[in-house]
Amino acid sequence: MNCPSAGVVLISTTLRSLRSWFYVPALKKEGYRTALRCHADVVVIDLEDGVPLSRKEEGRRTLREISPRFKRKGPPCFVRLNDLNSPYFPKDLQVVKRIAPLIQGVCLPKIRKGADLRRLDRLLRGTRLKIVPIIELLEGESHLEEILDASGRI
C-alpha cells in the first residue's frame, strides 16, 4: 500500500482489508472530521512530515486533545511518529503511550533494519499497539525480510 506522503507501507494479513489510509496533519483538528466524512478505512494522525519542526509540540498537544474522539466513532486510528532516530521521537512515544487505549497502532517511517522495529516493539511493551513499518530508504528495502520478521506487531 502506498502512502501519499511516504514510501511503501507493509501491512500484515489482519490489516490487508484496510485499503484507504487518510493522513491528517496533527495540527489540523478539523482534519479528523474530514477523514470521517471521507469514509477512510484508517485515519493516520501525522506527527512527522505533516507538522513543521517548529510546531512539533503543538502537534502532540492537538493529538492529545482530539484523541478521545477516536474510540467513540469512526475508523481505526494510527499515529505516524517521527523517525526513531530523530530528537522528536521520545516525546512522540510519550504521547502515543498515553493515548494507547484510544488508537490501534503507530506508523514508523524510515525503517532501515529489523533492529529498528525490535527497538520500537520493546518501547511499546505494555500496550497492544500494532506497528506499520514505512520503508522509505533503500537500506530498508534491502533488509525487507529482516524487517518483516522483526516484530509480531506488524
Side-chain angles (χ1 to χ4, degrees):
M1 166 173 274
N2 287 328
C3 295
S5 62
V8 176
V9 175
L10 305 170
I11 55 178
S12 71
T13 306
T14 57
L15 295 178
R16 284 186 202 271
S17 63
L18 304 174
R19 298 172 301 183
S20 59
W21 293 57
F22 193 103
Y23 277 67
V24 177
L27 293 170
K28 298 195 177 200
K29 290 181 184 181
E30 71 283 352
Y32 183 69
R33 287 190 291 274
T34 301
L36 292 178
R37 286 194 305 273
C38 290
H39 304 290
D41 294 322
V42 176
V43 175
V44 180
I45 306 300
D46 188 359
L47 288 172
E48 192 207 20
D49 291 341
V51 178
L53 298 179
S54 62
R55 298 179 69 192
K56 294 291 186 183
E57 191 55 47
E58 183 184 350
R60 290 184 205 99
R61 192 170 41 253
T62 302
L63 173 59
R64 283 190 304 267
E65 288 173 18
I66 66 172
S67 64
R69 299 181 201 166
F70 302 156
K71 196 74 168 177
R72 288 196 295 260
K73 61 181 175 185
C77 188
F78 282 69
V79 175
R80 181 177 179 183
L81 304 169
N82 281 282
D83 178 2
L84 195 61
N85 298 309
S86 83
Y88 308 103
F89 176 80
K91 288 186 178 181
D92 289 355
L93 183 65
Q94 286 176 345
V95 171
V96 161
K97 288 177 96 171
R98 187 181 311 169
I99 66 168
L102 303 171
I103 62 174
Q104 280 63 48
V106 296
C107 299
L108 186 64
K110 298 178 182 74
I111 298 288
R112 293 165 181 84
K113 296 184 177 187
D116 293 340
L117 238 48
R118 286 189 293 277
R119 179 176 166 206
L120 181 58
D121 190 290
R122 282 190 305 275
L123 292 169
L124 292 174
R125 200 167 280 146
T127 73
R128 52 151 186 67
L129 296 176
K130 295 286 186 191
I131 300 172
V132 176
I134 302 174
I135 310 298
E136 298 177 89
L137 306 170
L138 188 55
E139 185 178 0
E141 192 174 318
S142 63
H143 291 97
L144 208 49
E145 274 191 56
E146 174 192 336
I147 291 168
L148 291 174
D149 292 335
S151 171
R153 293 177 185 264
I154 296 176

